[in-house]
């Protein structure tokens, strides 16, 4: 359900799921061989989700302005009709593919190659953590810069990460705890909030949000000044050290202390601890340092620290994790077909025309700009598949854009702001109702690639279908409608299992073998540390001047290609007298983005966790420091209005020392645009406009707001 593929052992009685537990020794859901497998609340929530009566139960199409229940056959035929007339009227290239957590890889074959739209909004790059993924790639370590080799580490920095919450029950949390227990590793958390990861840490650095770039440079300053870096690695395997050294020299810990609010002696202590433990020292980064206008530089400066201490692909350091080699679609497809997207001009090439914001993105269409592209006719339709773009940023404009698009196809499990406004609603079976194959890179087995998979535990509930069957159903209807036999390429497979078996053929496995017996995973190939030593092309880049696409983007945005400090607000919001508090949104261990908010059991747990279960309210909360609350006459349990320069909404206040003075937070994925449209809570991104990182187009979710008691002024 969230691509992390934790093993689930499912107990079924009379066709109903009655229990779910983890799988012992699972690469993702355990700490490795012989250890207990567990699941997070979202994983356990699959039981409730499978039988949740609030799900979409039948296919629907819009006729005479109304959504009406129809058979699958009619829904497929209607979809094909609309796709063909859309292509005639607007052009295939103006259909946007918004696929997020699809369980089958064929969506890109269907939308991109067969239908012919080159347009995709990419979850990873623009709404999750673009700067983290892309800087890692350009600096030479891939998006591997996210997850260190926890279990072999002596020093772990959770930098804008809360893995004990967001990966509860999984390898990430367990690997971190194992390192502490087995190796006596030091854990440091750099986070404005006092999180559960901070609570378990030896040291918590409560950083002023959006100032991480300065902290990272100051750490480099100490490490270089005190000669604690890996000279052999820096000399032989890196590029751009001189420019980096200069930037670091400009940021002594005393200056960084002013910017970050972290005392200079703490900066020195962590810099020394990290460098002395290296190479068995790792930093984990992901969303916390990415979802801001200066996220690119924050991530570049943080990732540079790994190159400096030479922990690259060494035990306990930044592991260059690898995927198992399952067969790709192209390798298993026996029929030739034409990739129609290659003939289309992507709308991204029209970027020059867009907006007065400094926008020059390296990859794909930026989430925040889609509404503008709809206004300009560069995007006219969308396929939304296991995704809820209305909660991700620029929400009010997105709601309007969805209403205005000529064609909206929704493949979802719940009625949300997209499915309720769609022309076609195709209800998907959820993860326990379909065959699945998963692989991933990092895991509790740092020297093994792995695969995991399972057969459907129960039949698709109500009149729903797995996504493989939905996409192949659309393809068959398109083959009929267009007389183009390319759409028949999926006829080669009798079932999703058949297709999965082909993907597994390179590993000499079948889904049956993978999923029967005591475990549902296999360790398939072994790999070593330090493989870059044999790779003549490997280089760790401190300076990205060699990367053409970045160099151009940086020039247009007025940035250096080397690490540098960019203050908050250079891109994005700054607080003011009118909006004196900084807002950003956070995750709850109980919810997956916008996915399982409708489940009452999880709602109750969430309310309990905030000590507000006695209240008749099951929405998200506004977490505010006692100081800021008192100044506004706000107490826990009060309803408050949160207001930014472009939007406002109502939330229940939760007054807590865990929130930093001057900053407020709330969980996202609630409100009328979500899967709980009639429930309490607010879509936090109605506060948002178009704030983003100018390099990747990543949504910047730090917003200047004020908070008032409801009805106050
Ligand atoms: N329960 C649950 N688990 C999930 C998910 C979910 O939706 N629900 N989503 C999954 C996905 S897709 C992802 S990408 C991962 C993300 O995993 P993480 O990146 O670990 O995400 P969070 O737990 O939100 O932690 C981000 C932290 O960054 C902090 N932060 C905010 N602003 C700043 C800043 O300016 N500087 C610093 N240093 N810190 C800051 C926040 O306070 C927060 O504690 O989680 C995954 N796990
Ligand atoms: N405001 C704000 N927005 C964020 C973030 C944030 O920190 N703040 N974090 C971002 C991050 S890190 C990520 S990765 C993205 C992920 O966000 P999305 O890609 O949007 O993923 P989800 O919210 O998990 O899925 C959304 C939709 O999936 C539907 N759904 C649930 N189960 C199923 C199913 O089995 N099949 C189908 N077809 N649909 C199903 C739900 O009804 C919901 O509409 O969110 C980003 N959005
Ligand atoms: Mo994410």
């Amino acid at each position: 359900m969230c691509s992390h593929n934790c093993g689930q052992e499912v107990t079924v009685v009379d066709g109903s799921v009655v229990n779910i537990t983890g799988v012992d020794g699972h690469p993702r859901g355990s700490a490795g061989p012989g250890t207990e497998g567990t699941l997070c609340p979202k994983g356990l929530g699959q039981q409730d989700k499978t039988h949740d009566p609030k799900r979409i139960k039948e296919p629907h199409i819009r006729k005479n302005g109304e959504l009406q229940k129809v058979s699958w056959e009619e829904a497929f035929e209607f979809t094909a009709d609309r796709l063909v007339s859309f292509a005639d009227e607007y052009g295939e290239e103006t259909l946007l593919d918004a696929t997020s957590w699809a369980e089958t890889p064929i969506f890109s074959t269907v939308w991109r190659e067969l239908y012919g739209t080159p347009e995709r909004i990419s979850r990873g790059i623009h709404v999750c953590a673009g700067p983290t993924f892309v800087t890692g790639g350009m600096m030479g370590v891939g998006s591997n810069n996210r997850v260190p080799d926890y279990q072999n580490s002596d020093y772990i920095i959770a930098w804008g990460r809360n893995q004990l919450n967001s990966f509860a029950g999984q390898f990430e949390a367990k690997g971190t705890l194992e390192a502490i227990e087995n190796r006596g590793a030091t854990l440091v958390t750099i986070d404005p909030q006092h999180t559960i990861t901070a609570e378990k840490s030896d040291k918590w650095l409560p950083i002023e949000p959006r100032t991480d770039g300065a902290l990272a440079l100051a750490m480099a300053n100490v490490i270089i000044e005190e000669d604690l870096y890996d000279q052999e690695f820096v000399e032989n395997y890196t590029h751009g050290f001189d420019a980096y050294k200069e930037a670091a020299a400009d940021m002594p810990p005393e200056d960084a202390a002013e910017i970050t609010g972290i005392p200079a002696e703490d900066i020195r202590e962590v810099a020394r601890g990290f460098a002395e433990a290296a190479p068995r020292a790792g930093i984990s980064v992901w969303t916390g340092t990415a979802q801001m206008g200066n996220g690119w530089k924050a991530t570049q400066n943080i990732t540079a620290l790994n190159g400096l201490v030479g922990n690259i692909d060494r035990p306990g350091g930044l592991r260059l994790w690898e995927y198992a080699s399952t067969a790709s679609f192209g390798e298993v497809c026996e029929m030739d077909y034409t990739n129609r997207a290659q003939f289309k001009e992507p709308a991204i090439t029209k970027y020059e025309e867009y907006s007065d914001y400094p926008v020059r993105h390296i990859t794909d269409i930026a989430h925040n700009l889609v509404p503008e592209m709809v206004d300009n006719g560069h995007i006219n339709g969308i396929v939304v598949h296991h995704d809820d773009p209305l909660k991700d940023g620029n929400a009010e404009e997105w709601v309007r854009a969805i209403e205005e698009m000529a064609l909206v196809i929704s493949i979802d499990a719940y009625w949300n702001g997209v499915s309720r406004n769609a022309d076609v609603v195709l209800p998907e079976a959820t993860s326990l109702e379909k065959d699945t194959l998963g692989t991933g890179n990092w895991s509790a087995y740092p020297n093994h690639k792995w695969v995991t998979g399972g057969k459907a535990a129960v039949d698709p509930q109500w009149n729903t279908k797995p996504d493989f069957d939905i996409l192949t159903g659309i393809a068959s209807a398109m083959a009929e409608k267009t007389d183009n036999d390319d759409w028949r390429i999926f006829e080669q497979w009798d079932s999703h299992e058949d297709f999965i078996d082909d993907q597994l053929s390179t590993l000499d496995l079948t889904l049956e073998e993978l999923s029967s017996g005591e475990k549902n995973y296999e360790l398939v190939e072994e790999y070593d540390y330090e493989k870059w030593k044999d790779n003549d092309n490997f280089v760790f880049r401190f300076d990205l001047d060699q990367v053409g696409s970045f160099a151009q983007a940086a020039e247009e945005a007025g940035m250096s290609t080397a690490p540098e400090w960019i203050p908050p607000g250079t891109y994005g919001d700054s607080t003011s007298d009118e909006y004196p508090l900084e807002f950003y949104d956070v995750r709850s261990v109980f919810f997956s983005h916008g996915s399982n908010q409708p489940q009452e059991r999880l709602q109750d747990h969430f309310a309990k966790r905030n000590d507000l279960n006695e209240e008749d309210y099951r929405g998200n909360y506004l977490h505010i420091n006692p100081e800021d609350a008192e100044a506004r006459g706000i107490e826990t349990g009060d309803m408050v209005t949160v207001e930014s320069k472009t939007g406002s909404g109502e939330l229940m206040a939760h007054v807590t020392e865990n929130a930093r003075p001057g900053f407020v937070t709330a969980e996202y994925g609630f409100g009328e645009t979500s899967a709980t449209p009639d429930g309490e809570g607010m879509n936090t991104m109605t506060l948002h406009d178009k704030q983003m990182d100018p390099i990747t187009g990543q949504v910047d979710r730090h917003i200047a707001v004020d908070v008032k008691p409801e009805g106050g002024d």
Side-chain angles (χ1 to χ4, degrees), residues 214-468:
L215 176 62
L217 281 177
M219 283 172 61
N221 177 297
V222 175
I223 294 168
I224 296 170
E225 197 107 308
E226 300 184 8
D227 234 349
L228 298 172
Y229 68 100
D230 184 338
Q231 294 193 4
E232 200 265 338
F233 182 81
V234 167
E235 258 163 49
N236 295 312
Y237 299 103
T238 70
H239 165 80
F241 183 63
D242 289 343
Y244 180 38
K245 203 170 155 180
E246 250 174 63
D250 282 347
M251 188 60 74
E254 283 65 26
D255 290 9
E258 298 259 305
I259 297 170
T260 60
I262 297 174
E265 59 269 29
D266 285 349
I267 300 176
R268 289 205 164 83
E269 182 192 321
V270 172
R272 288 175 191 142
F274 175 71
E276 279 161 7
R280 286 189 186 270
I283 304 175
S284 77
V285 284
W286 204 324
T287 62
T289 53
Q291 301 184 350
M292 48 193 179
N294 54 354
W296 178 280
K297 281 297 164 181
T299 318
Q300 187 182 3
N301 297 358
I302 294 168
T303 304
L305 287 168
N306 293 303
L308 186 62
V309 301
N311 69 1
I312 311 298
D313 216 22
R314 290 183 161 139
L318 184 158
R319 179 74 168 121
L320 301 188
W321 303 95
E322 294 183 22
Y323 282 89
S325 25
T326 50
S328 68
F329 185 83
E331 284 165 322
V332 296
C333 182
E334 286 165 5
M335 250 174 77
D336 284 335
Y337 62 95
T338 307
N339 174 352
R340 303 188 68 228
Q342 66 185 317
F343 307 119
K344 304 287 178 183
E345 188 195 357
I348 192 173
T349 55
K350 300 172 186 139
Y351 256 145
E352 301 304 329
E353 294 174 30
Y354 287 107
S355 105
D356 49 4
Y357 198 86
V359 178
R360 174 75 213 161
H361 309 293
I362 294 174
T363 39
D364 297 344
I365 291 175
H367 170 89
N368 285 346
L369 289 183
V370 170
E372 216 168 308
M373 301 178 83
V374 173
D375 293 342
N376 294 348
H378 293 149
I379 295 293
N380 294 302
I382 191 166
V383 182
V384 185
H385 180 172
H386 206 153
D387 184 29
D388 178 5
L390 303 185
K391 68 161 194 317
D392 295 334
N394 202 9
E396 286 188 357
E397 289 287 289
W398 254 93
V399 169
R400 189 180 54 76
I402 289 282
E403 283 166 3
E404 281 172 16
M405 285 190 220
L407 177 61
V408 177
I409 300 172
S410 166
I411 306 176
D412 207 285
Y414 284 104
W415 291 109
N416 60 19
V418 177
S419 48
R420 277 182 286 127
N421 280 296
D423 301 290
V424 186
V425 181
L426 305 173
E428 192 180 345
T430 68
S431 57
L432 303 184
E433 303 153 58
K434 53 191 165 190
D435 298 338
T436 51
L437 171 64
T439 144
N441 43 3
W442 60 82
S443 84
Y445 296 84
N447 294 100
H448 281 95
K449 304 179 197 174
W450 54 277
V451 281
T452 186
K455 297 224 191 154
V458 293
D459 289 336
Q461 302 294 292
W462 299 287
N463 195 14
T464 64
K465 279 184 190 294
D467 55 358
F468 183 85

Side-chain angles (χ1 to χ4, degrees), residues 476-710:
S476 301
M478 284 299 281
E480 292 293 319
K481 193 79 44 194
T482 60
D483 263 344
N484 175 356
D485 281 345
D486 282 2
W487 284 103
R488 299 199 184 278
I489 55 177
F490 306 112
E491 288 174 11
Q492 155 186 3
W493 297 287
D494 293 334
S495 63
H496 192 204
E497 180 172 359
D498 199 14
F499 173 58
I500 290 176
D501 282 347
D502 271 5
Q503 291 172 270
L504 283 171
S505 58
T506 43
L507 301 170
D508 245 347
L509 273 172
T510 62
L511 185 63
E512 180 71 38
E513 287 162 353
L514 184 59
S515 62
S516 53
E518 288 296 297
K519 61 181 177 51
N520 69 337
Y521 65 88
E522 286 293 336
L523 306 178
V524 287
E525 291 154 282
E526 244 181 283
Y527 66 113
D528 261 340
Y529 291 96
E530 292 188 344
K531 279 234 280 246
W532 48 265
K533 278 194 168 163
D534 310 323
N535 175 358
D536 291 342
N537 295 324
F538 174 83
V539 56
F540 183 92
R541 298 183 191 90
F542 293 112
D543 191 334
L544 295 171
D545 54 345
Q546 293 176 324
V547 183
S549 56
F550 173 73
Q552 189 194 342
E555 195 185 328
E556 286 173 34
M559 279 185 196
S560 155
T561 51
E564 68 176 326
W565 163 235
I566 294 194
T570 310
Y571 309 105
D573 268 7
S574 301
T575 52
S576 61
D577 289 347
E578 202 178 347
Y579 300 108
L581 298 170
E582 183 170 325
F583 169 89
Y584 64 84
D585 55 21
V586 291
R587 261 162 255 280
S588 151
V589 72
F590 300 108
F591 303 117
S592 178
H593 308 293
S595 274
N596 46 10
Q597 279 75 350
Q599 292 163 43
E600 282 161 22
R601 212 152 50 127
L602 295 181
Q603 290 179 356
D604 290 346
H605 280 299
F606 175 56
K608 260 186 217 133
R609 175 67 61 93
N610 289 286
D611 289 327
L612 282 161
N613 50 314
E614 298 297 324
E615 299 283 341
D616 185 21
Y617 172 94
R618 288 295 179 264
N620 41 349
Y621 300 103
L622 193 271
H623 307 284
I624 182 167
N625 185 275
E627 216 175 279
D628 295 320
E630 200 181 326
R632 291 167 174 74
I634 292 167
E635 288 177 20
T636 290
D638 289 352
M639 291 305 292
V640 295
T641 304
V642 193
E643 195 185 301
S644 73
K645 66 177 187 301
T646 50
S648 71
E650 266 75 57
L651 287 170
M652 182 173 277
H654 176 231
V655 180
T656 167
E657 291 283 357
N658 289 346
R660 198 190 152 88
F663 295 83
V664 288
T665 61
E667 297 76 15
Y668 62 94
F670 290 81
E672 61 175 324
T673 53
S674 72
T676 50
D678 307 318
E680 293 89 351
M682 121 188 221
N683 178 350
T684 52
M685 288 297 107
T686 53
L687 299 168
H688 188 258
D689 181 11
K690 271 192 289 199
Q691 299 90 330
M692 63 185 134
D693 158 49
I695 300 296
T696 54
Q698 162 70 44
V699 178
D700 170 353
R701 300 199 176 90
H702 290 256
I703 309 163
V705 300
D706 200 4
V707 178
K708 294 167 186 161
E710 205 184 26

Side-chain angles (χ1 to χ4, degrees), residues 131-145:
T132 306
F133 303 133
V134 182
T135 49
M138 291 189 179
M139 293 174 85
V141 290
S143 52
N144 285 298
N145 58 343

Side-chain angles (χ1 to χ4, degrees), residues 128 162 166 190-191 193 210 212 287 584 587-588 591 593:
C128 178
N162 187 9
S166 292
I190 304 174
D191 198 307
Q193 294 187 89
R210 301 189 286 173
D212 302 84
T287 62
Y584 64 84
R587 261 162 255 280
S588 151
F591 303 117
H593 308 293

